[in-house]
């Protein structure tokens, strides 16, 4: 039986993640006391192949450190994954301010920022065991749903899923990137006459960048670097790898390079995905 524990700080998107897992066919249990987790697994292990359980600060044991012992007590036949969702403190405060919901720790008569900081400390024993981590600060609910789906499906195939993601440095580096390559020094189509309205998916921009020797060399060196180390990553039982390419605005150079690398890697690897972060805004 495959068991996914969905955890994270309040407001980080656990409800969205659990809904995605339910759509993927998981038997989902929301907010079960963690002390009952071993009993639950023994009860459903013969009836369900895929089970997901949400765990947050409301259902922790009195001593949060006991979570590790409880998880270790699960049956050996359970294939466990922990998906931990989080967001920046400022973003969590903004979300609570917009929804006007009460934080679960507010009842302890503390300010919202204090409650958010305390929640992080209490959930640290769970976060330290997580093998899937997503920072949702810059994600819409739709983007989060897509990312959870990609991560979960990728971890079940047994193959290394490689994601090439373009982004703009002016909007911040992707928090889930494993490797980041900076393309801001390359010739920028934005300043070329007639190319400003286009993006890296359009043929005029692709023709311009393909004609630049420095762009071709940059792509070749990224390809060579990744091909050298991919076998080692695969032997380390990695299931997901995000290679982020950044330029200034995330519309031209990074998009073209991500697309080109993805096409090259598809010749050798089946599970290749492309994400253009700034073009989905």
């Amino acid at each position: 039986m495959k068991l996914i524990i969905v955890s994270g700080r309040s407001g980080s998107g656990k409800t969205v993640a659990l809904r995605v897992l339910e759509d993927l066919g998981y038997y989902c249990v929301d907010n079960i006391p963690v002390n009952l987790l071993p009993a639950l697994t023994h009860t459903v292990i013969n009836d369900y192949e895929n089970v997901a359980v949400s765990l947050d600060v409301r259902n922790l044991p009195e001593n949060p450190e006991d979570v590790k012992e409880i998880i270790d007590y699960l049956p050996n036949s359970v294939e466990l994954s922990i998906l931990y969702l989080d967001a920046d403190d400022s973003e969590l405060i903004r979300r609570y301010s917009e929804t006007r919901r009460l934080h679960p720790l507010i009842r302890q008569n503390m300010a919202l920022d204090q409650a958010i900081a305390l929640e992080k400390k209490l959930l640290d024993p769970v976060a330290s065991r997580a093998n899937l981590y997503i920072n949702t600060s810059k994600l819409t609910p739709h983007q989060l749903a897509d990312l959870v789906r990609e991560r979960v499906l990728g971890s079940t195939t047994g193959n290394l899923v490689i994601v090439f993601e373009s982004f703009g440095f002016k909007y911040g580096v992707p928090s889930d990137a494993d490797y980041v390559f900076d393309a801001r020094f390359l010739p920028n189509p934005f300043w070329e006459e007639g190319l400003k309205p286009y993006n890296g998916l359009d043929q005029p921009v692709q023709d311009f960048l393909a004609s630049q020797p420095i762009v071709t060399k940059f792509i070749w060196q990224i390809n060579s670097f990744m091909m050298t180390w991919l076998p080692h990553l695969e032997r380390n039982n990695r299931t997901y790898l995000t290679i982020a390419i950044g330029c200034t605005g995330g519309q031209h150079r990074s998009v073209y390079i991500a697309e080109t690398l993805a096409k090259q890697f598809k010749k050798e690897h089946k599970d290749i995905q492309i994400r253009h972060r700034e073009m989905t805004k």
Side-chain angles (χ1 to χ4, degrees), residues 166-187:
S166 68
F167 72 95
F169 274 97
K170 65 190 294 185
Y171 304 110
V173 177
S175 58
D176 61 342
D178 297 294
Y179 293 93
V180 177
F181 295 95
D182 187 349
R184 286 177 292 183
F185 67 94
L186 299 175

Side-chain angles (χ1 to χ4, degrees), residues 181-223:
F181 295 95
D182 187 349
R184 286 177 292 183
F185 67 94
L186 299 175
N188 191 351
F190 183 83
W191 301 115
E192 296 296 320
E193 185 177 357
L195 295 182
K196 185 176 180 179
Y198 298 105
N199 60 54
L201 297 176
D202 296 319
Q203 196 63 46
V205 171
Q206 293 178 357
D207 291 342
F208 170 78
L209 290 172
S211 69
Q212 305 294 321
I214 191 173
V215 175
T216 303
K217 184 176 181 179
F218 185 60
I219 294 173
W220 177 84
Q221 289 187 330
I222 295 175
N223 189 314

Side-chain angles (χ1 to χ4, degrees), residues 8-272:
R9 289 196 284 179
S10 304
S12 60
K14 295 189 300 299
T15 301
V16 173
L18 210 61
R19 190 181 307 126
V20 170
L21 291 172
E22 190 170 29
D23 291 342
L24 291 175
Y26 279 74
Y27 174 71
C28 296
V29 182
D30 194 9
N31 285 333
I32 183 175
V34 69
N35 294 324
L36 298 179
L37 187 57
L40 173 70
T41 56
H42 282 287
T43 301
V44 303
I45 194 168
N46 294 321
D47 298 322
Y48 299 96
E49 292 184 4
N50 301 309
V51 177
V53 176
S54 70
L55 171 63
D56 60 32
V57 73
R58 293 171 294 177
N59 48 16
L60 289 176
E62 187 173 343
N63 181 2
E65 290 294 332
D66 290 344
V67 169
K68 297 179 181 179
E69 183 177 342
I70 294 170
I71 291 175
D72 290 338
Y73 190 67
L74 294 175
N76 293 330
S77 57
V78 172
E79 183 181 329
L80 175 66
S81 296
I82 299 178
L83 169 60
Y84 192 86
L85 305 173
D86 204 359
D88 299 338
D89 289 5
S90 58
E91 176 62 18
L92 292 175
I93 291 174
R94 185 191 67 80
R95 292 176 184 178
Y96 268 101
S97 298
E98 287 186 352
T99 61
R100 303 197 178 190
R101 295 181 59 192
L102 280 178
H103 190 280
L105 296 179
I106 287 292
R107 297 181 181 87
Q108 298 184 18
N109 296 319
M110 61 179 67
L112 179 57
D113 59 341
Q114 294 175 317
I116 288 173
L118 175 59
E119 186 179 26
K120 183 174 184 177
K121 181 179 179 181
L122 293 175
L123 287 172
D124 184 64
V126 183
S128 64
R129 294 285 297 268
N131 53 339
L132 294 171
Y133 174 88
I134 299 177
N135 187 305
T136 68
S137 298
K138 299 182 182 298
L139 299 177
T140 65
H142 179 73
Q143 290 171 330
L144 173 58
D146 286 343
L147 190 53
V148 169
R149 191 176 296 107
E150 291 172 5
R151 291 291 175 93
V152 171
L153 291 177
S155 66
T156 59
T157 63
N159 299 322
L160 177 65
V161 178
I162 304 174
V163 180
F164 290 95
E165 179 173 10
S166 68
F167 72 95
F169 274 97
K170 65 190 294 185
Y171 304 110
V173 177
S175 58
D176 61 342
D178 297 294
Y179 293 93
V180 177
F181 295 95
D182 187 349
R184 286 177 292 183
F185 67 94
L186 299 175
N188 191 351
F190 183 83
W191 301 115
E192 296 296 320
E193 185 177 357
L195 295 182
K196 185 176 180 179
Y198 298 105
N199 60 54
L201 297 176
D202 296 319
Q203 196 63 46
V205 171
Q206 293 178 357
D207 291 342
F208 170 78
L209 290 172
S211 69
Q212 305 294 321
I214 191 173
V215 175
T216 303
K217 184 176 181 179
F218 185 60
I219 294 173
W220 177 84
Q221 289 187 330
I222 295 175
N223 189 314
S224 178
F225 176 83
M226 296 310 309
M227 284 298 188
T228 299
W229 297 111
L230 270 178
H232 300 276
L233 293 168
E234 290 174 324
R235 284 196 292 270
N236 197 38
N237 295 322
R238 289 288 297 267
T239 59
Y240 212 87
L241 181 71
T242 300
I243 302 168
I245 316 295
C247 59
T248 305
Q251 298 289 331
H252 299 91
R253 293 164 291 182
S254 61
V255 172
Y256 169 75
I257 294 170
E259 287 282 334
T260 303
L261 285 168
K263 290 178 183 177
Q264 294 174 352
F265 272 71
K266 282 181 179 179
K267 298 175 183 178
E268 302 291 337
H269 293 78
K270 295 180 180 179
D271 295 322
I272 302 295

